[in-house]
Every structure is written in structure tokens, then in C-alpha cells.
Amino acid sequence: MEFSEHIKTANVEDVVLRRPFHPPMQGTLCVTGHHLLFSNRDGDSSRLVLLLLRNIDAIEKRPSGSSGTITLKCKDLCVLQLDIPGMEECLNIARSIEYLSSLDIVSDMYPFFYRPLKLSLQDQWGLSSAEQNYAQMEELQDRWRLSHVNKDYSVCPSYPPAVIVPHSIDDETLVKVAKFRQGGRFPVLCYYHRKNGMVIMRSSQPLTGANRKRCREDELLLQAVIDGSGLGYIIDTRSNQQAQQARMTGGGFESKSSYSCWKRLHRQLERGKVLQESLIKLVEACGDHSHSVDRWLSKLENSKWLSHVHTALATAGLLAECVERDGHSVLVHGSEGTDTTLLVSSLAQLILDPKTRTLAGFLGLLEREWLLAGHPFQQRCAHSAYSHARLRLEAPVFVLLLDCVWQLARQFPLAMGFSEPLLLRLAMEVYASDYGTFLCNSDQERCAAGVKERTHCLFQFLLKPSERERYSNPLYEPTELAIWPSVQPQSLQLWRGLFLRWTQHAVHLEKAQEELRNLVIECRGAS
Amino acid sequence: MEHIRLPKVEKVRLIDKISSRRASVGTLYLTATHTIFVENETEIRTETWVLHSLVCSVEKQATTTTGSPLLVHCKNYQALRFIIPQERDCHDVHVSLLRLSRPARYEELYCFSFHANSDKEVRGQAWDFLSLKAEYSRMGVPNHLWNLSPVNRDYKVSDTYPAELYVPKSATHPVIVGSSKFRSRGRFPTLSYYCKENHAAICRSSQPLSGFSARCLEDEQMLEAIVRSNPRSDFMYVVDTRPKLNAMANRAAGKGYENEDNYSNIKFQFIGIENIHVMRNSLQKMLEVSEAWSPSMSEFLEGLESSGWLKHIKAVLDAGIFIAKAVAEDSVSVLVHCSDGWDRTAQVCSVASVLLDPYYRTLKGLMVLIERDWVSFGHKFSHRYNHLDGDPKEVSPVIDQFLECVWQLSEQFPCAFEYNERFLITIQNHIYSCQYGNFIGNNQKERTELRHQEKTHSLWTYLWENRTDHINPLYRPDHSQTQGVLRPVTAPYCFKFWRALYNRFDRGMHPRQSVIDYLMAVREETQQLEEQLVSHEECYPP
């Protein structure tokens, strides 16, 4: 594609840029295929501001006399303003931004053009393969096997080529089970608890439908999971009523009569539009500085964001409790099994598994449980909280995950090897990135688009020594214990670092973080 | 001891609030000073001690098949639910605790029996640890503009004021006395904080007895003297911290506020902080939410909102900011008052001081500040914090709100304060506990009559001796946040629920790991290593 077709005015002089924490700045604005470039020469020093167009969520233009003002609301929640002399230039630039910020074709996106000197496309893409993961977990190998039934993505388009399933279940059976689960997402292992051999499985809903259809193979697979231990739990991330209703549209749940050894627990987690609107309301509340404390609290409450955080953490806690304290295996799913299912299963792993709490371990968890497990990032993160576009499939499930992880880290400030800046960076990268990691909706799509050959991998980059330093937690003291979060409302807080990031308030807190890092480094240096 | 009907009850159960499923069984003891619960199941016999003076309510609930529940609420926000097998025992404990927690006379307070036998001389010296004279001299007074007035030496002019007061040099004895007669309880305008750099001052008083039209020449001269003692400004602010409506209502009772027409060179300003009754009810509502058993997020936020508590905290902080700004940026002096000038006035003056002067963000500085603006100026500690069995309408969390303002600031500027949250919580605890003599009585005169310096210990010395527990490791005197005037953001989202105080005893709610403890441990370790290195070098010089 020729981007230049969409750039009528590439350069404008004497533009004024207004952004948080900086005095207004006058200079030259330049539009390229993927960036807004703002530069000003102030005597000898020149300053450059580079904004990825993909980061722009909403654009508002306002004429004033012969000039115009463009307000850019970004997906990282920053709001910028450009005062552009010349109405025509202003409109041209606005049009370019509108078009170029919402490109649909993956290969047109910036990660395919990003070629920094210090990175090579030959570098490894991704952190580890399913084979490596499986090989590392020797304890589970006598009961669990690595299946390549999905090697050409034909059984389940949103699954990776290799998955872990019970040894006794052959590929043929898996194919049949896949037909009984929405989107072919048959139950697979996502976590093995070394302490007692119990596992967390995840899947999509069974397609029992109105006629209460059964699937012998599906029942067999689940039976094989609890083989010997007698009882398993199914955590359904929908309410009982929602699960009942799902039968009308061909979905459903595991009935007691067909799955007698499984006990179903329902916990309603919101997703989709409800979650997206919650984020929009929260960001709106945070952006309005005029109101009173009462109004603020009422808006905060009304956004329901913290309620979603609460439910997600509480459900993950329940799941972890089933595995660790009650000693049972758990299957978790909602409907498609690509959103709240992943949210709950990955949070439970953070609670239980010390390996996922290191920087590399956490990124590995995200790779396994979100990228390979088929969370549709491109659909979910097409727009963020400011967009006026009609909502389609957007939902900040991943942001909710990051928020929950932040809450865990607040309650266990020594237990995580990574720090808040990492979570903030991920919250930004997931919406607009130089890297290809969060492109597309599944592993299959990423392979088809050549993401792994033609873009750089964010996770690999974050693990380079220079970055690792920046994103590690200076207080990290590994613990082998499970970290049980408190989910009392008093214990959960608004994530100020993210939602109030562009206020003075966040600056003071950031300074304190810096001080803390210096202090620890200083002390460590001395000893 | 005559109040203890039953010194010991066995097989009592103590219910954990968060997980009400968990109860520990043990023995309940009543002593002259404490209720003690000793768990008997565990190997380490956990003990829970509750000071009688910290108990604010004891409630006996309907007997069930498992026993008689007894609910004990404390002023430091601890809440205990005992289940006592026999109703008769529960009744006896209830009656005993009611009496024990409400002493009738000052002499019954815990501070008079706490370590009463220690060396008198040491105890007396301990009280010299803080000196207000030194504090005023640190601020730069007396000087050519302000001097120490002997007018209240025998508490004759105002029995709720301290003996030593600083007034403008140009205010003569008759002016002071005249002004004091025109102010509630004789509380004439006097110095609270003095800014050496620009001569601007924060003064405080009670409301004028202006009614609808009364004037007092001496009072007008008194204010004029304050204006004149600040060479940088030709006017001053008079800040009435009450809502305008309340102040106007006071006029009908012959009180009220300054008429700008009668006082030359003043700018009058209302700042609507609600009165002690509104604050008491607000706290009560907030505690209902914070004590609720497992509320949903929405219930919690709605309850927090409808309590209005954070709104009131913001009002106090906003008032402090207004005054700090006038003093620091405009070099204008400010006179602050409310009705009697011992509640809202104390809050606002001390918040302004914390904002203005980094000294009050140090351990010793905060102690001095409380000693000056609260203790010496006659904040009615015994009434407000219910030390004796008194009028419940006099009770209100006034200093709690000040401490919370400081906490909110420390959350916003984590490197600016030498003390940590624990310091504030410990102070809150001891304002109510009556374990130390600092806060007994309602003013200096009463405390002197009680001979508190001879008979009780000082909290400040105790805190100073244990200062390592109260240090904020992130504090650095030369950090940018530490310097100069604090300019907090007061957008509503900056105000947070203070879990560590109001849910202090719900341990499950707090972070399971403490950054402060970790940093202190790291620091201590480093110090030890450095000391070892030094001693090593001393033994084996290089």
C-alpha cells in the first residue's frame, strides 16, 4: 500500500504542541505512514516528539478562525493537542491521522517496518516452544502427552500446533472432542501443580445445546483428567443462568448427569461490551478533575471497573484454592474460552506458581496463556477508552489482567520479579507497538501473516539486559509459597499508575519508585 | 478492682471478623487495666490485650445456642467479638467492662498507673524533651516584630490558652485584654506559625462576639497590629473555617464573624469545614462500611461516598492549602478561627504548617506541631476522645482527621516525610489510650493541676526512643519532594481510604509483605557491614 496517497499535507510549520508535563512547544509537524513527528529547533538543540499513529484512539478537530486545533486522545490514555495554522492543512492532517491510525491489514502495520539497528530479524521469536515447555516438566510426562493433532490448525484454529492432553486420550478422540466444544477448543492442560499433581485445564463451552447433547469422548477426556483422584471442579466464568441460556444458542455446560465426577461452580465474570464500557466510564471519571469527592467516588463505583478486578481475583483465588488446598483438578471455561477463561487461569498460576513470578516467567505465562492460547488481541484492542467508533469486538480483558497482577504485586511487593513499569509498558504495547507480538488474533494468523519472520518480538526485547534492568523489581525476594490475595474492597485500589498516569499525582509516585530503586541498589552496592 | 465482677471466664471464643468461620477458644481475663484473651489451643499461646481506656463500646447481643456474644469496639478501630458460654458470665463481663472503660475521674486513667514507680527524675527530664520555647525560637520569635506576652501567665485572660503566648510587639496589654473580652472563651488572636523568610504569620483565635453589629476597638487594633507586624503586606486574611451558614447562625447568639467594614485591611474568607457533630456521624457511617462483613465493591464505594468522610478530609486539606499559599506565595499573614478555635482551627493551622515547613515532616517536627497547635492551645482531648465518662456529643475525631490529612499527603509525596504511617497510627492510638500523660485533660491549666509531668510519662520520649520503628526509609532530607512548600494535587481521586488505620486490626486486608520493613532490614544490614568494616580496619590498619 502507498501511504502517501493518504497524506495530502506532509509538513506544517509553526504548529503548537500541548502535552502533559511540558510547556507548549512550537515547531514543525510531519506526517508519515506510521508516525506523527514533531520537531522544534530551539537554538542549537532540537527536540523531537514521535507519536505512533496506531496509538491514536480518537481525534477531535475544532476550527478557530483561519487555523485549527486537533485534539489527539491516545490509547495509552495521554491527551495531546496540536494548534495548526491553516484550516486546510489542519483538515488534511486530521484526515491522514484518521485513516492511518486505523489500518486494518496486518502487514501494513508498523511492526512490519520497524527495523532498529540493535535487533535482527534472525533473532529468536517467542520465548519457548510447546515442546520445550513439555520437556521441562518431567513429572507430568507419565500421565500427560504432547499432542500435535492441531499441527495444521485444522482441529482448532485458535489453538497452537501442540497442546498437552492426558496420555490415555488419542488424537482421534481429541478431534471428536473438538467438534463438541465451541471453536474446537477442547480441554487442554495449562498448569501442573507439582505439589500434588493436580492440574488446571481450560477449554470453551461444550456444545450441548437445547437437546442436552452428549459427547462420549469429551466425558472420557475429562474422566482421564481426574483419573484416580475421584473429583474435579469446573469453574464456569458465567452465571448459572447465563450458562443455561447458552444452550438456546447451541452452547451449554457439563451437566451433573453426564459428568458425575465433576462439580460445577459458577462465577460471573463480565467481558466484551460490558467490560469495554466499564473502561470507558473509568477513564472518563479519571479525566474529569472538576468534580467533588462524592461525585468521584460515585463515578468510580458506577464504572464497575474495580468490581471486575474484584471478581477476577476472587475467582482466580477460588481456582487456586481448589487446586492447592482442596487438592482437586479444575477445568475452567466460559463461552469461547478466549477471554475470562484465560484471565482466571493465568491469575491462578501467578498465585500458585513461583516460576511465573519472575520477569521471564511472567512473559512466558503471557505467551502460553494469551498469545498461543488464542486471545484475539487484534479484535480486543482495536480501540481503547476514547474511541467514538462503534464498539465491535473490543474488550480490555488483557488490561484487566494487568490490573489484577498489579493488585497482586501491591499486596506482595516482594514476590514478583517484575515491576509496575513492565505492566504499564505492556498496557501500552498491547494497543500500539513497534513489535509484532500482539498483532493478529491467534498463532495461526500470526504465522500466516509472517509476523514471526518479519517483525521483532517484544518479549525477547524486554529480556535484553538493558531492559531487564528497567523492568525488574528491586525488592524481589522469591518465595515458593502461594500468594493469596485479599479481595476485600479495602484491599483493592485504583491503579493510579495506569489510569492517572498523565497527572502530576503519578509523577510524585514515580519519583518515589525511583528513590526506592536507588536505595536498594545503593544498599546492595554497599554490602 | 472493685469494678471487676468476674476476673476470669473460660472457654470463650474469639471470632475473626474476616473469616467468621475461624474462631479461637481461650480464656478471658479482666484486670484493672486490660481485657486479656489467651488462646489455649495453639502451641504458642497467642494473647490479645485490650486496654480498657481504648474501649469505646461494649454491646451484648442476643444469646444463641452457642453462647452469648459480646461485641467490643475500640477507639483504635479494633473490634472483637467474644462468645461467652454462659449468659450470666457475659452479663458480668459486660457490666464490668462498661464501668472499667469509662473512668469517672482523671486519677483513674491508665497513665497514672503506667510505670508509676519509675525514677521520678528521669521521668521529669523526659518531659523536657520537647520545648515550645525552642520551637518558637526555631521559627525566629521573639524578634523585633513579635514578643512573648506574659498576659496569660496565670491563665487569667483565657483559661484554655497556654501561659506563654506570642503577640505582635505593637499590641499593648490593654489591647490584648480588650480583644480577649471580645472573643469566645477569651481566646484572642495569637501566633501559631511564623515564617522567618517573609515575616508572614499564621495566627489563631476564637470567633468574635460581634453578634449582628457589636464592635470592639481593641480587637480591631489587635488585628491591625498583626497586619503591621508583616512589613511585606498591607492586608491580612481572616479565615473562618466554618460554613457561612453556621457562622451566621452564631450571630444570633451574640457571636459570629468579623465585619470587613469594621476592620481595616482584612480580607475575610469562609472555608466550609463541617462541625464536630457532622464529623462524628460521618466517621460512624464510614466505620459501618469498613467493618461490614465482606461487602461488595459497590457497597463499599457507595458507603464510603455516602459517609462523606473523604469529602471532609479534602475540606480540611483545602483550607490548609489556602493558608499555606497565602503565607508562602503572597507573603500575607492569616488569622484563622472557627467557633471556639480549638477544633477546626487546630486542624487547619497544623495542616498549613506541615505544607509550609519541612521541619513538621520530620519525627520531632510533628511531635512539636501537635504539642503546639493541639496540646498547648487547648484542644479538648479528654472531651473529644472520651477519656472520661462524659457527654457523647462532645466526642469527635478531630485530630484523627489531621493525622489522616498528613497521611494523605505522605501517600502523595512518599519521599517527603521522615516518619512512616506507623508513626501516625501510634500517635492516634495513644491519643485515645491515656497511657501517656500528654493528652489528658482539656487544656494546659488542667494538665498542670493534674501534675502530669510528675505523675505520668511522655509519649514523645517513648516515640523518640523507638524512632527506628517509625522512620520512612524513602525519606531523604535533600530530596526534591522534601524541599520547601508541598503543593499537593487535590483532585478527588487523590483521596484514598486509609485502610491501615480504619481496618488496622483486620490483618488479612493489608499487604502481606511490607516494603518499609524490607528496606529497613536492607539498610540495617548495610550499616552492620559498614560497622564491621570499620572495626576491622581499626584492628588491622591498612
Side-chain angles (χ1 to χ4, degrees), chain B residues 95-320:
Chain B
V95 172
S96 310
L97 256 182
L98 275 181
R99 177 61 189 88
L100 290 165
S101 63
R102 287 176 198 167
R105 294 173 303 119
Y106 282 124
E107 287 73 12
E108 292 176 34
L109 292 178
Y110 183 42
C111 57
F112 292 104
S113 57
F114 174 66
H115 286 295
N117 298 325
S118 66
D119 187 337
K120 281 216 171 83
E121 204 168 310
V122 174
R123 194 161 49 192
Q125 278 167 1
W127 281 99
D128 297 334
F129 170 66
L130 283 191
S131 143
L132 282 185
K133 214 167 214 149
E135 159 62 3
Y136 284 102
S137 132
R138 187 196 65 86
M139 291 193 282
V141 291
N143 60 12
H144 64 292
L145 297 164
W146 294 85
N147 59 12
L148 176 64
S149 164
V151 69
N152 201 40
R153 208 168 0 185
D154 309 315
Y155 307 107
K156 288 269 165 54
V157 176
S158 170
D159 58 355
T160 61
Y161 258 2
E164 296 190 341
L165 289 161
Y166 292 80
V167 293
K169 215 163 203 172
S170 58
T172 60
H173 187 81
V175 165
I176 297 173
V177 174
S179 168
S180 80
K181 289 191 171 132
F182 190 62
R183 296 271 169 181
S184 284
R185 302 295 300 265
R187 294 168 69 91
F188 60 87
T190 170
L191 185 73
S192 160
Y193 177 75
Y194 179 75
C195 182
K196 232 185 326 203
E197 286 74 30
N198 63 10
H199 307 295
I202 301 175
C203 297
R204 53 185 289 173
S205 70
S206 61
Q207 62 187 338
L209 305 175
S210 51
F212 289 101
S213 59
R215 292 182 62 167
C216 167
L217 189 61
E218 291 90 344
D219 195 61
E220 291 160 24
Q221 287 170 338
M222 186 73 196
L223 265 63
E224 185 59 32
I226 296 174
V227 175
R228 273 204 307 274
S229 67
N230 178 1
R232 297 259 184 108
S233 171
D234 49 14
F235 76 96
M236 72 185 284
Y237 284 111
V238 174
V239 171
D240 189 327
T241 57
R242 298 169 292 183
K244 188 171 181 184
L245 220 59
N246 301 20
M248 285 170 70
N250 263 295
R251 291 198 301 191
K255 300 165 186 172
Y257 53 93
E258 293 81 356
N259 183 340
E260 267 184 351
D261 299 338
N262 298 341
Y263 293 82
S264 45
N265 308 319
I266 68 161
K267 282 191 184 164
F268 187 84
Q269 179 85 33
F270 282 115
I271 292 183
I273 301 175
E274 298 291 348
N275 64 26
I276 57 167
H277 311 295
V278 175
M279 300 305 191
R280 179 178 57 243
N281 293 333
S282 171
L283 177 67
Q284 198 47 50
K285 276 194 188 158
M286 185 176 72
L287 291 180
E288 276 165 28
V289 184
S290 67
E291 284 174 9
W293 188 80
S294 195
S296 73
M297 187 50 91
S298 291
E299 283 163 352
F300 177 73
L301 289 173
E302 277 165 7
L304 188 58
E305 181 210 330
S306 72
S307 78
W309 181 257
L310 289 176
K311 173 177 75 184
H312 299 313
I313 296 294
K314 177 169 153 62
V316 175
L317 189 60
D318 278 336

Side-chain angles (χ1 to χ4, degrees), chain A residues 383-524:
Chain A
H383 287 286
S384 175
Y386 289 125
S387 173
H388 305 301
R390 203 170 57 85
L391 287 183
R392 286 178 302 184
L393 298 163
E394 289 83 357
V397 192
F398 189 70
V399 177
L400 183 59
L401 169 84
L402 295 175
D403 195 332
C404 292
V405 175
W406 178 81
Q407 306 280 353
L408 268 174
R410 287 276 305 188
Q411 297 190 20
F412 296 90
L414 316 182
M416 308 282 197
F418 50 90
S419 61
E420 180 173 359
L422 178 81
L423 301 175
L424 291 171
R425 170 114 194 219
L426 290 171
M428 186 186 80
E429 297 278 350
V430 73
Y431 282 99
S433 178
D434 294 345
Y435 300 88
T437 299
F438 292 117
L439 291 178
C440 303
N441 295 305
S442 65
D443 194 52
Q444 182 187 23
E445 282 186 27
R446 270 183 286 275
C447 288
V451 168
K452 296 178 187 181
E453 291 82 40
R454 293 166 55 206
T455 75
H456 294 288
C457 170
L458 174 68
F459 292 173
Q460 282 292 347
F461 173 70
L462 292 175
L463 289 173
K464 291 199 176 297
S466 58
E467 302 300 304
R468 193 186 261 276
E469 175 65 25
R470 185 171 346 158
Y471 296 116
S472 63
N473 174 11
L475 305 178
Y476 181 48
E477 293 260 283
T479 168
E480 285 299 310
L481 301 173
I483 52 173
W484 300 103
S486 159
V487 294
Q488 296 287 321
Q490 288 97 318
S491 307
L492 302 176
Q493 295 192 356
L494 177 69
W495 186 7
R496 288 174 160 69
L498 179 65
F499 296 110
L500 300 170
R501 188 175 191 179
W502 305 104
T503 65
Q504 192 56 40
H505 188 55
V507 176
H508 296 315
L509 299 182
E510 230 165 81
K511 281 216 184 98
Q513 285 299 319
E514 214 171 280
E515 184 63 33
L516 194 143
R517 180 175 287 271
N518 291 340
L519 195 71
V520 175
I521 290 169
E522 198 181 292
C523 287
R524 294 238 171 89

Side-chain angles (χ1 to χ4, degrees), chain A residues 242-399:
Chain A
Q242 283 174 327
Q244 297 282 356
Q245 276 166 358
R247 282 176 33 223
M248 298 305 130
T249 49
F253 52 89
E254 295 82 355
S255 66
K256 192 78 215 164
S257 54
S258 318
Y259 300 84
S260 56
C261 293
W262 289 82
K263 189 174 158 47
R264 234 171 48 242
L265 302 167
H266 290 273
R267 290 291 181 277
Q268 188 184 345
L269 270 73
E270 296 297 348
R271 55 198 193 108
K273 210 168 168 179
V274 175
L275 207 55
Q276 183 71 12
E277 273 163 3
S278 169
L279 178 73
I280 292 172
K281 280 186 192 162
L282 176 67
V283 169
E284 200 261 322
C286 291
D288 183 357
H289 299 183
S290 60
H291 45 62
S292 66
V293 177
D294 290 359
R295 228 173 116 64
W296 155 249
L297 286 172
S298 132
K299 283 186 147 191
L300 178 63
E301 190 280 311
N302 192 37
S303 80
K304 299 286 181 225
W305 181 261
L306 284 171
S307 301
H308 301 319
V309 171
H310 176 268
T311 317
L313 273 173
T315 310
L318 173 74
L319 169 49
E321 223 173 344
C322 291
V323 174
E324 156 101 8
R325 294 195 175 148
D326 299 352
H328 293 296
S329 289
V330 182
L331 167 68
V332 52
H333 69 72
S335 317
E336 290 96 338
T338 53
D339 294 291
T340 50
T341 303
L342 308 182
L343 178 64
V344 172
S345 76
S346 40
L347 284 172
Q349 291 180 57
L350 274 165
I351 292 172
L352 292 172
D353 185 4
K355 287 206 172 70
T356 62
R357 300 184 211 133
T358 64
L359 180 60
F362 179 59
L363 295 177
L365 176 74
L366 297 182
E367 183 174 76
R368 276 187 287 117
E369 286 297 280
W370 290 80
L371 292 165
L372 293 174
H375 177 65
F377 279 102
Q378 198 176 330
Q379 292 171 354
R380 297 292 180 259
C381 300
H383 287 286
S384 175
Y386 289 125
S387 173
H388 305 301
R390 203 170 57 85
L391 287 183
R392 286 178 302 184
L393 298 163
E394 289 83 357
V397 192
F398 189 70
V399 177

